[in-house]
Amino acid sequence: MVDTTVNIGSLKLKNPVVVASGTFGYGDEVLDLVNVSLLGGIVTKSLTLKPRDGNPPPRIVETASGMLNSIGLANIGVKKFIEDKIHLLRKLDTSIIVNIAGNTIEEYEELIILLEDHAGIDAYEINVSCPNVKEGGLAFGTKCDTTAEITRRVRKLTKKPIIVKLTPNVTRIAEFAVAVEGEGADAVSVINTLVGLTVDVKTQKPKLSTVTGGLSGPAIKPVALAKVYEVYKSVKIPIIGLGGIMNWSDAVEFMLVGARAVQVGTANFIDPAVGLKIADGIEQYCADRKLAQVVDLVGALKI
């Protein structure tokens, strides 16, 4: 029997597979399709202080080996989340990680204050890296001192694990990981989407209303693996790897280069149950190699 549990700070996941923010709603939309209790965890859709309609359509385009999106953090806002969603999430037998985003540093603080007293939240993922909003997003995530300050200020407001989601759209992502580790982050999510652009040659216009968007899916996996490897060599806190994971083999690659857990994103749009298959695949891979625990895979890359 393989021990599939992994620890992300004080957060204990039953297995290393978590579904990524923005790809699984608030968890309740898929209950008829997926036994979510078999997942390591759910990262909820990004939550902002006030509801957001997001960007105008078109805001999703399929690309070769990936997807370009410009959703713009559309969400119901923290008040509606507390009223309508937390009580449902509380009933799920899996870890709940709430992803938060803000236009200002003060909004991140206010979100934590509003959420902190409500049961059912196991950890926070701090989104400082969305490429599809004019304020906050990359404006924060590409500035190391601002990313560190957000981490420092939310750290003071909660004892729950804080996971900072980093952007690859910088020169050296490891510098950001080191900075947030120094300010008390319990883990980092590596990576968010890459900025991309695609054009309709018939109209000669961009296919997305916002011109550029965030590229995800298999196309970015090699980039994501390199970024996880870079961060793994630079920090001691756990890494949650993501970027183009479509099957268990992809997930094992991320763990070998240093990820302790993985997030599955774009693949959920093809098969909402893919996270469960990936968890089973990782466990079988360990069993075939007579590994006692999945954490034995972390950083086991042979150079």
Side-chain angles (χ1 to χ4, degrees):
M1 180 72 76
V2 178
D3 179 0
T4 61
T5 60
V6 297
N7 291 316
I8 304 296
S10 60
L11 176 65
K12 186 175 184 177
L13 305 177
K14 63 179 66 176
N15 65 61
V17 181
V18 178
V19 287
S21 176
T23 67
F24 222 64
Y26 301 99
D28 54 329
E29 295 93 334
V30 298
L31 294 182
D32 293 336
L33 302 172
V34 181
N35 183 357
V36 297
S37 68
L38 299 179
L39 290 168
I42 295 172
V43 184
T44 63
K45 189 170 179 54
S46 280
L47 196 62
T48 55
L49 201 55
K50 296 180 180 178
R52 290 178 63 100
D53 293 330
N55 294 325
R59 53 189 191 180
I60 293 180
V61 175
E62 187 172 345
T63 68
S65 301
M67 184 178 80
L68 200 60
N69 91 83
S70 178
I71 303 299
L73 298 181
N75 76 96
I76 60 177
V78 67
K79 182 180 178 183
K80 197 72 173 173
F81 176 81
I82 291 170
E83 290 175 353
D84 294 349
K85 299 297 183 181
I86 278 188
H87 71 283
L88 296 172
L89 293 170
R90 195 179 293 141
K91 297 176 182 176
L92 303 181
D93 184 22
T94 190
S95 296
I96 303 299
I97 302 168
V98 174
N99 181 296
I100 65 169
N103 293 329
T104 65
I105 296 176
E106 288 74 20
E107 285 192 11
Y108 285 92
E109 293 179 300
E110 196 166 346
L111 280 161
I112 295 287
I113 291 169
L114 290 170
L115 292 166
E116 189 63 4
D117 291 335
H118 296 276
I121 298 171
D122 298 302
Y124 299 107
E125 183 175 67
I126 311 301
N127 184 357
V128 293
S129 49
C130 178
N132 303 321
V133 292
K134 293 180 180 177
E135 306 86 13
L138 279 187
F140 288 158
T142 54
K143 296 176 182 174
C144 200
D145 56 345
T146 307
T147 302
E149 184 177 356
I150 292 171
T151 306
R152 177 169 60 252
R153 287 169 62 167
V154 298
R155 175 74 287 168
K156 294 177 181 177
L157 299 172
T158 181
K159 293 183 178 178
K160 292 185 174 74
I162 290 175
I163 304 159
V164 183
K165 190 169 187 176
L166 300 178
T167 178
N169 300 296
V170 295
T171 304
R172 273 191 52 77
I173 194 172
E175 293 177 0
F176 291 74
V178 170
V180 302
E181 180 181 45
E183 299 298 345
D186 297 279
V188 286
S189 296
V190 179
I191 57 174
N192 207 325
T193 55
L194 288 154
V195 174
L197 167 65
T198 186
V199 177
D200 184 334
V201 296
K202 293 180 181 176
T203 63
Q204 298 183 341
K205 294 180 178 179
K207 290 184 178 179
L208 290 177
S209 66
T210 53
V211 183
T212 60
L215 181 65
S216 62
I220 73 169
K221 194 185 82 172
V223 177
L225 286 167
K227 297 300 181 184
V228 169
Y229 183 58
E230 177 188 329
V231 171
Y232 179 67
K233 291 187 295 181
S234 303
V235 300
K236 291 184 171 57
I237 56 176
I239 302 163
I240 303 176
L242 72 158
I245 295 175
M246 305 299 286
N247 53 51
W248 67 265
S249 179
D250 292 338
V252 168
E253 285 188 67
F254 273 82
M255 297 189 76
L256 291 175
V257 300
R260 183 166 300 184
V262 296
Q263 289 186 20
V264 180
T266 301
N268 290 317
F269 296 115
I270 301 170
D271 177 6
V274 69
L276 308 184
K277 297 171 184 174
I278 290 172
D280 288 344
I282 295 172
E283 184 175 0
Q284 188 61 51
Y285 179 86
C286 292
D288 291 344
R289 282 154 184 77
K290 303 188 184 311
L291 299 177
Q293 48 190 6
V294 294
V295 293
D296 291 340
L297 295 175
V298 181
L301 182 70
K302 298 176 181 177
I303 302 293

